[in-house]
């Protein structure tokens, strides 16, 4: 018996997108008319397949921009191609996390991921708007990670879905693609969003990836809704909420015991509520109405790994 979650959809054969583009597995469509450059990226993590299904479908449909330029990329394609259903989490990456390399791309590439990021970098530099399509290890509600800047929150609110918007600063372990260059510069106007569509292999993750991508492409003005496949856009939720991440709780030695099972995005009413014990030391909520963002609390973790991020409702 395997403890791995079920895989609820077929993985697309992406090899047809290797050639014929601006770079391997990168395709650029220029309308010939002035307008924004808009990039949709899939497979920043190789086993996060919902975004790959979306980009594969849009390329296959021949989606063209009405103005500006549209860029599609499959980022860590080598990791995707290494997928093994017996060990499905391993294909997140080959040598290292593609999405932690972006602060050191001026240095010689020593890993498959830094080499690939150097190929992807000029396209990210061209883009005015970037949507990076991810999914989650754990079964959690979809989250839009809009970065630390006001304009990220504003764009996420214009999209109108998903319900949960997370304002965050990224990872101490290295810069994400979505924070690179002008995207992370408070004085620039380039705006990036990172959607976590739900658990990697849930059919619902594909629905979320389709919905959010459709909203993003229409909002940036690059296409009209009628240009997109029917049925992608879902009903707009009645409201959204924004959570500011304030703390990242890491386990010191990988010896964290949760107080209960957490699903993610719970609001813990009282400050001082025990979330669990790390090496026997209680970990408590620092303020009232504390939101648990993407808890990895329910599974064994290595030393130093983030167990949960804590946030305030804005
Ligand atoms: Zn990811």
């Amino acid at each position: 018996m395997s403890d791995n979650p079920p895989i609820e959809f077929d993985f697309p054969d992406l090899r047809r997108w290797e050639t014929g583009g601006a770079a391997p597995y990168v395709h650029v469509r220029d309308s010939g008319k002035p307008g924004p450059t808009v990039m949709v990226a899939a497979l920043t993590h190789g086993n996060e397949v919902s975004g790959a299904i979306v980009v594969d479908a849009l390329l296959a449909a021949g989606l063209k921009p009405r103005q500006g330029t549209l860029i599609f990329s499959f980022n860590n394609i080598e990791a995707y191609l290494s997928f093994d259903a017996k060990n499905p989490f391993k294909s997140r990456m080959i040598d290292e996390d593609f999405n932690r390399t972006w602060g050191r791309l001026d240095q010689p590439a020593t890993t498959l991921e830094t080499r690939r990021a150097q190929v992807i970098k000029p396209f990210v530099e061209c883009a005015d708007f970037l949507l990076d399509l991810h999914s989650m290890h754990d079964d959690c509600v979809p989250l839009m990670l809009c970065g630390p800047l006001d304009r990220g929150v504003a764009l996420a609110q214009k999209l109108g879905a998903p319900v949960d918007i997370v304002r965050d600063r990224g990872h101490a372990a290295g810069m994400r693609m979505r924070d690179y260059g002008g995207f992370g510069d408070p004085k620039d106007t380039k705006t990036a969003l990172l959607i976590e569509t739900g658990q990697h292999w849930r059919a619902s993750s594909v629905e979320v990836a389709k919905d959010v991508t459709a909203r993003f492409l229409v909002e940036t003005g690059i296409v009209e809704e009628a240009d997109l496949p029917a049925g992608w856009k879902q009903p707009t939720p009645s409201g959204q909420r924004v959570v500011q991440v304030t703390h990242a709780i890491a386990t010191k030695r990988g010896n964290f015991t949760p107080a209960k099972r957490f699903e993610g995005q719970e609001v813990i009413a009282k400050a001082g509520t025990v979330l669990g014990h790390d090496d026997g030391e209680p970990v408590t909520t620092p303020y009232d109405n504390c939101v648990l963002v993407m808890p990895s609390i329910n599974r064994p973790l290595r030393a130093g790994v983030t167990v949960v991020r804590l946030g305030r409702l804005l």
Side-chain angles (χ1 to χ4, degrees):
M1 275 295 288
S2 160
D3 292 333
N4 291 323
I7 296 174
E8 298 179 345
F9 48 75
D10 292 331
F11 287 18
D13 179 4
L14 300 179
R15 288 181 197 270
R16 59 181 167 156
W17 307 120
E18 179 174 5
T19 57
Y25 295 98
V26 180
H27 293 261
V28 177
R29 290 177 175 173
D30 187 345
S31 67
K33 297 189 192 119
T37 298
V38 175
M39 180 167 177
V40 178
L43 297 179
T44 290
H45 294 126
N47 60 358
E48 302 182 359
V49 184
S50 62
I53 291 174
V54 162
V55 171
D56 176 62
L58 292 179
L59 283 169
L63 184 72
K64 290 187 182 66
R66 289 187 178 246
Q67 54 166 341
T69 302
L70 186 51
I71 303 172
F72 292 113
S73 69
F74 299 103
N75 285 347
N76 201 340
I77 184 71
E78 292 298 330
Y80 175 75
L81 296 174
S82 77
F83 184 83
D84 175 0
K86 290 196 225 50
N87 197 359
F89 290 106
K90 188 165 183 290
S91 59
R92 176 180 173 83
M93 62 186 87
I94 301 284
D95 299 326
E96 66 168 321
D97 188 332
F98 178 91
N99 214 27
R100 304 289 180 271
T101 63
W102 289 77
R104 49 189 163 85
L105 294 183
D106 53 343
Q107 297 165 26
T110 55
T111 62
L112 182 141
E113 279 80 8
T114 47
R115 278 194 296 280
R116 181 63 177 162
Q118 287 178 346
V119 171
I120 300 298
K121 181 170 84 121
F123 301 99
V124 175
E125 286 170 340
C126 284
D128 300 302
F129 296 98
L130 169 66
L131 177 64
D132 192 15
L133 295 159
H134 289 248
S135 55
M136 295 135 133
H137 186 294
D138 299 290
D139 241 334
C140 183
V141 298
L143 302 177
M144 185 69 91
L145 307 191
C146 64
L149 302 174
D150 287 342
R151 61 181 191 267
V153 178
L155 181 58
Q157 289 174 326
K158 280 186 192 151
L159 265 51
V163 170
D164 284 290
I165 300 169
V166 175
R167 184 174 180 145
D168 72 330
R169 299 201 165 276
H171 301 273
M175 186 188 286
R176 301 174 296 191
M177 182 178 70
R178 59 135 294 119
D179 300 315
Y180 177 74
F183 290 110
D185 181 350
K187 295 192 286 296
D188 208 306
T189 57
K190 286 160 65 97
T191 307
L193 295 173
L194 187 163
I195 180 70
E196 299 277 5
T197 59
Q199 207 283 331
H200 298 323
W201 310 304
R202 285 247 182 248
S204 59
S205 271
V206 179
E207 298 305 309
V208 172
K210 288 176 174 174
D211 179 39
V212 168
T213 303
R215 289 168 184 273
F216 173 79
L217 291 173
V218 171
E219 181 57 41
T220 55
I222 197 115
V223 300
E224 293 175 7
E225 200 168 329
D227 301 332
L228 294 163
W232 278 30
K233 190 161 170 240
Q234 300 295 314
T236 301
S238 57
Q240 289 173 292
R241 59 180 187 173
V242 184
V243 176
Q244 169 77 55
V245 172
T246 59
H247 298 68
I249 308 293
T251 171
K252 289 191 197 82
R253 297 197 298 169
N255 182 23
F256 187 91
T257 316
K260 55 171 276 206
R261 186 174 179 85
F262 295 103
E263 304 295 334
Q265 296 307 106
E266 294 97 329
V267 182
I268 309 293
K270 286 279 162 228
T273 301
V274 176
L275 299 176
H277 290 79
D278 194 36
D279 259 353
E281 293 286 316
V283 173
T284 59
T285 51
Y287 41 79
D288 288 351
N289 298 320
C290 179
V291 183
L292 305 189
V293 179
M294 285 205 282
S296 310
I297 255 170
N298 308 312
R299 57 184 159 100
L301 296 169
R302 296 186 314 278
V305 168
T306 300
V307 173
V308 65
R309 296 192 275 174
L310 307 179
R312 278 185 201 277
L313 286 166
L314 298 180

